[in-house]
Amino acid sequence: MCEVYRTGKQYADQAKLSKYEKLKYSDVDCQAFCELVLKDIGVRQPNGSIYNWKGSNDIARNACSWIGTKEDAIKQFGFIPIGAWAFIWEDKTGKEKERGYFDGKGNYSHIGIYVGNNTVRDSTRYKDSAGNYVRDGVANRNISAFNRIGLAKMLDFEVNVQYNEHDKIMSIITEIRNKLTELEGVIS
């Protein structure tokens, strides 16, 4: 079976489809969501089988051609590439060892797909202080909740430059709006 060529942008565009919002966390956890979107755009392993990692730690360690902080990504690429994986990383070697990793790289406890405009699409579940689910399944989250970026080996990110320039401009506009809001509060 021949491999299918896909871009990070195609991956992100697929992840944004509303059909995924029907999925609960019990249907697809964060890793399974990333795998499902790859499958849905036709990306398979060289042997033709779908990807099935052991969790976000496995993805970070074995499926990324590049991994670093958000700041590293901006320094290296000029932006966070659309379609990149966004991780929540903890420097907790105890958690890492619980999951069978003894390499000192920390614990990648969560993963999502960066879809542009400071937005990550992910699957998660959490409760409020009263114990009610405030989120259960696939939705959007601000990238500020994530602290590592990874580029999937099986996707092409070279063609993302033109799309990311727009995203870069939108991020600057958002920063300016936030600063103006801050200044309005100081002036008032």
Side-chain angles (χ1 to χ4, degrees):
M1 175 166 212
C2 79
E3 292 182 60
V4 176
Y5 169 83
R6 295 288 185 250
T7 67
K9 173 88 167 73
Q10 288 169 312
Y11 186 51
D13 286 347
Q14 180 73 27
K16 291 189 279 187
L17 295 179
S18 62
K19 73 176 191 173
Y20 297 112
E21 293 169 8
K22 300 175 198 163
L23 300 173
K24 299 289 183 201
Y25 184 78
S26 58
D27 300 324
V28 289
D29 64 9
C30 61
Q31 162 222 325
F33 172 63
C34 293
E35 292 168 348
L36 176 62
V37 177
L38 279 175
K39 178 182 85 65
D40 287 352
I41 63 169
V43 174
R44 304 282 187 277
Q45 295 185 55
N47 67 7
S49 62
I50 61 171
Y51 285 95
N52 187 15
W53 292 286
K54 296 175 190 164
S56 49
N57 274 296
D58 188 24
I59 294 172
R61 286 168 168 79
N62 299 307
C64 291
S65 59
W66 181 92
I67 197 160
T69 65
K70 292 182 286 190
E71 294 76 17
D72 291 339
I74 292 167
K75 186 176 180 182
Q76 182 153 346
F77 308 111
F79 46 79
I80 296 171
I82 292 176
W85 284 320
F87 294 95
I88 295 176
W89 175 84
E90 306 161 305
D91 187 16
K92 295 182 179 176
T93 53
K95 287 283 189 184
E96 164 191 342
K97 290 176 182 172
E98 281 176 23
R99 289 171 170 75
Y101 296 96
F102 301 92
D103 56 11
K105 293 182 180 176
N107 180 37
Y108 292 85
S109 62
H110 188 66
I111 185 173
I113 302 165
Y114 182 66
V115 296
N117 292 330
N118 294 318
T119 303
V120 174
R121 192 85 153 144
D122 67 341
S123 179
T124 193
R125 172 172 48 196
Y126 53 88
K127 297 178 181 180
D128 61 16
S129 57
N132 301 309
Y133 283 115
V134 291
R135 173 146 174 222
D136 184 10
V138 176
N140 294 335
R141 193 182 331 187
N142 189 284
I143 195 158
S144 63
F146 298 82
N147 57 8
R148 291 292 185 275
I149 300 298
L151 300 185
K153 291 178 184 177
M154 66 289 305
L155 296 173
D156 177 29
F157 289 93
E158 293 298 317
V159 297
N160 277 17
V161 175
Q162 62 188 356
Y163 301 109
N164 283 300
E165 287 303 317
H166 173 266
D167 196 47
K168 193 172 166 183
I169 292 167
M170 294 307 295
S171 292
I172 292 168
I173 290 170
T174 300
E175 286 179 36
I176 292 169
R177 284 184 182 144
N178 290 342
K179 290 288 181 192
L180 287 172
T181 302
E182 279 181 39
L183 287 172
E184 286 175 356
V186 171
I187 295 171
S188 299

